[in-house]
Amino acid sequence: MATSRMRQFTVEMTRARDLVGLGQSVYRMTGGRVDGSDMYRAALVHAVAALDSYIHGIVLDRGVDMLMGRLANSGSKSKVGLQLSAVQEILNAPNALMQEVSARAQIAQRLSLETFQKPDDVANGLAMVGISKVWSIAFPNDPGAAKAALGVIVQRRNRIVHQCDADPLTPGAITPLSDGDALDSISTVQAVVAAIDPHC
């Protein structure tokens, strides 16, 4: 059964594909005078953001379930690292509902300092909440290939957002990105999450 976070992830993937479609339409409507590739870049960035948001949601939901005693604490030795004042606020909540609201707020605040995009970061985040060796479990035939495919996309995303996708070999030029490349990246991210989700 799909997690509750999968529905929103699917919505975000549709938005990413719509950005590619918008870029294609702009290119066609202008007879090729306006390049749609910046919309393809935006789509790739959005797909990675959707992955990050999905993993954050899973870690948050499972972390709250562990803290509230609904899920066995089988996490790795990694720590979410709540401050003592946060723990005190959770424990001093007047009732169970407010305790859960407080736990969710405190864990969400703490997780806001993390990114879960690179393959190892995804694995570490999920391991914190009891999902260990996710790449081997989700991709039993070749976890290395799945990690490498995602790693390439995240690396390109980082080049887009931190370096304006500048071509390192040609100063002043932008690294080309086609609509097909963007759609392939979106499909890869979606396949990664689809394989991980049943184990969450």
Side-chain angles (χ1 to χ4, degrees):
M1 183 174 144
T3 63
S4 62
R5 297 292 178 165
M6 190 62 168
R7 179 178 297 158
Q8 187 60 41
F9 173 78
T10 302
V11 168
E12 299 307 330
M13 290 292 95
T14 299
R15 290 179 65 200
R17 284 189 175 86
D18 288 348
L19 281 168
V20 174
L22 183 60
Q24 292 167 329
S25 295
V26 166
Y27 181 80
R28 282 192 304 271
M29 289 185 329
T30 62
R33 289 187 188 94
V34 176
D35 182 9
S37 66
D38 281 337
M39 291 180 206
Y40 309 152
R41 287 181 185 86
L44 186 149
V45 169
H46 192 87
V48 174
L51 164 69
D52 197 353
S53 179
Y54 167 83
I55 298 296
H56 267 91
I58 295 295
V59 173
L60 174 61
D61 293 346
R62 289 179 64 95
V64 169
D65 284 346
M66 285 178 168
L67 198 56
M68 300 305 296
R70 293 188 297 261
L71 185 64
N73 188 356
S74 58
S76 71
K77 293 185 180 180
S78 300
K79 297 177 180 80
V80 173
L82 293 179
Q83 293 183 355
L84 291 176
S85 60
V87 174
Q88 183 179 28
E89 181 179 314
I90 294 166
L91 293 174
N92 289 336
N95 57 50
L97 176 61
M98 292 308 296
Q99 195 173 43
E100 181 159 350
V101 168
S102 180
R104 185 165 291 280
Q106 294 296 338
I107 293 173
Q109 173 62 31
R110 169 57 187 91
L111 292 176
S112 70
L113 304 173
E114 304 288 337
T115 58
F116 300 119
Q117 299 171 358
K118 294 179 181 177
D120 288 344
D121 295 338
V122 168
N124 291 339
L126 294 174
M128 282 192 299
V129 291
I131 305 166
S132 59
K133 300 180 181 178
V134 70
W135 292 102
S136 298
I137 293 168
F139 298 93
N141 294 332
D142 196 352
K147 289 172 69 173
L150 179 61
V152 167
I153 294 165
V154 172
Q155 188 174 46
R156 182 66 184 266
R157 175 260 178 211
N158 290 344
R159 202 164 70 225
I160 292 168
V161 301
H162 298 299
Q163 300 168 352
C164 300
D165 209 19
D167 185 340
L169 302 177
T170 311
I174 304 298
T175 305
L177 182 68
S178 72
D179 54 348
D181 293 336
L183 289 170
D184 287 348
S185 295
I186 293 165
S187 294
T188 298
V189 170
Q190 191 155 22
V192 163
V193 171
I196 288 173
D197 192 68
H199 308 286
C200 294

